[in-house]
Amino acid sequence: MQRGKGMKFVGDSRVKASNRMPNKPKDYSEYPGKTEAFWPDFLLKEWMVGAVFLIGYLLLTVAHPSPLERPADPTDTSYIPLPDWYFLFLYQLLKYSFASGDYNVIGAIVIPGLAILSLLLMPWLDKGPERRPSKRPIPTAIMLLVVASMFYLTWESVVNHDWEASKAQGQITPKDLGLVPDIEIDENSEGYKIFQSQQTCVGCHGGDLTGVGSNPMLLGNQLTAEEVEEVIRNGRGGMPGGQFSGTDEELKTLAEFIASLKEE
């Protein structure tokens, strides 16, 4: 069929007639002052920025060293673990009655599972063309509610946690460093037998008197028998008083035994 005999040619107005190769990228030399060579100009800037952040990170690690604690002790049932800050909101969630105890599966699996499932299904649940938050009230409101809940739960976890006790339970003791005094214990003595019969004493200070967890070691103590007896009766620091279940004579014998555990 020839031109003008029933066929019309329609041109694309978006393509200029003079532009015969529309997909050919322009050379960067056509934009003086707005482009730069990848090597070495661009890479040099990237390396300089990376070096600044690396130095800042190293200074931060020197100024605030890692809070190392004593080695894990599976026999220490009094240790209360604390997750990292980005999991504190989940840690606080497990403290509420509807998500703990018999309902622990709700706080540990159901609620986090629903949140993750909602994120996975979001591309199919929110298919509107609008991208402005003001034009998407429901997704925006849900997002703000989730963020506010995470901030609130994290804040609740921080203000209600006993940080002093947490610091004390993680302190490195001489026992952890292998600095246990070389003191021979007379296991046939009356005082040692009385100590072993007191479950509260053994539970806190251990059967070998080297201390359990952050509880103090009795070996190498600098107390007199009278001071030991006073501590057992009235307590000291985190140790409560009135825990001894024997007679006054047995208490005196135990105090003399503990006071004798000194290095010669």
Side-chain angles (χ1 to χ4, degrees):
M1 187 177 291
Q2 306 252 341
R3 180 188 295 268
K5 299 200 176 192
M7 174 176 286
K8 296 183 179 179
F9 292 89
V10 179
D12 191 341
S13 60
R14 296 172 296 176
V15 181
K16 296 181 179 179
S18 60
N19 190 0
R20 300 183 178 278
M21 300 182 66
N23 295 326
K24 180 181 179 181
K26 293 185 178 181
D27 190 84
Y28 69 88
S29 59
E30 298 183 27
Y31 303 92
K34 296 183 179 180
T35 60
E36 60 183 359
F38 180 77
W39 169 267
D41 299 346
F42 178 78
L43 285 183
L44 181 60
K45 292 181 180 179
E46 293 292 310
W47 289 340
M48 291 178 63
V49 173
V52 170
F53 276 93
L54 178 60
I55 294 174
Y57 179 76
L58 293 177
L59 292 176
L60 183 62
T61 57
V62 173
H64 300 279
S66 178
L68 299 178
E69 297 184 355
R70 58 184 177 82
D73 184 3
T75 64
D76 184 10
T77 58
S78 63
Y79 185 86
I80 302 176
L82 187 68
D84 290 319
W85 63 269
Y86 42 83
F87 283 133
L88 283 178
F89 70 98
L90 289 175
Y91 176 73
Q92 179 65 24
L93 180 65
L94 296 176
K95 296 180 181 179
Y96 297 116
S97 58
F98 64 85
S100 60
D102 296 336
Y103 306 100
N104 192 49
V105 65
I106 297 178
I109 298 178
V110 175
I111 295 179
L114 290 176
I116 296 175
L117 182 62
S118 300
L119 288 176
L120 294 175
L121 297 178
M122 189 55 64
W124 291 272
L125 297 177
D126 182 26
K127 298 185 294 184
E130 294 291 342
R131 302 185 64 84
R132 296 181 182 179
S134 59
K135 299 292 186 178
R136 304 167 61 195
I138 295 180
T140 302
I142 294 176
M143 183 270 294
L144 293 176
L145 179 62
V146 170
V147 173
S149 300
M150 294 175 64
F151 269 94
Y152 174 76
L153 291 174
T154 302
W155 177 79
E156 279 285 310
S157 177
V158 171
V159 299
N160 292 320
H161 184 72
D162 191 347
W163 293 101
E164 292 296 329
S166 179
K167 182 180 179 181
Q169 71 180 4
Q171 288 181 344
I172 300 177
T173 63
K175 178 183 177 182
D176 301 324
L177 300 176
L179 302 177
V180 178
D182 187 14
I183 299 176
E184 185 176 353
I185 301 175
D186 185 4
E187 298 183 357
N188 295 321
S189 64
E190 188 66 23
Y192 180 78
K193 294 178 181 179
I194 295 174
F195 176 84
Q196 293 293 332
S197 66
Q198 302 294 318
Q199 294 299 321
T200 54
C201 296
V202 176
C204 292
H205 302 287
D208 55 358
L209 291 90
T210 57
V212 175
S214 60
N215 295 303
M217 178 171 52
L218 298 182
L219 295 179
N221 72 87
Q222 302 299 319
L223 302 176
T224 63
E226 291 75 17
E227 291 173 336
V228 173
E229 187 174 349
E230 175 67 18
V231 172
I232 295 175
R233 289 185 183 276
N234 302 319
R236 174 187 289 185
M239 174 181 172
Q243 300 295 309
F244 187 75
S245 59
T247 63
D248 292 342
E249 186 65 27
E250 291 175 337
L251 175 58
K252 184 176 180 180
T253 303
L254 175 62
E256 293 174 351
F257 166 73
I258 295 176
S260 68
L261 300 175
K262 295 180 173 62
E263 292 183 284
E264 299 180 357

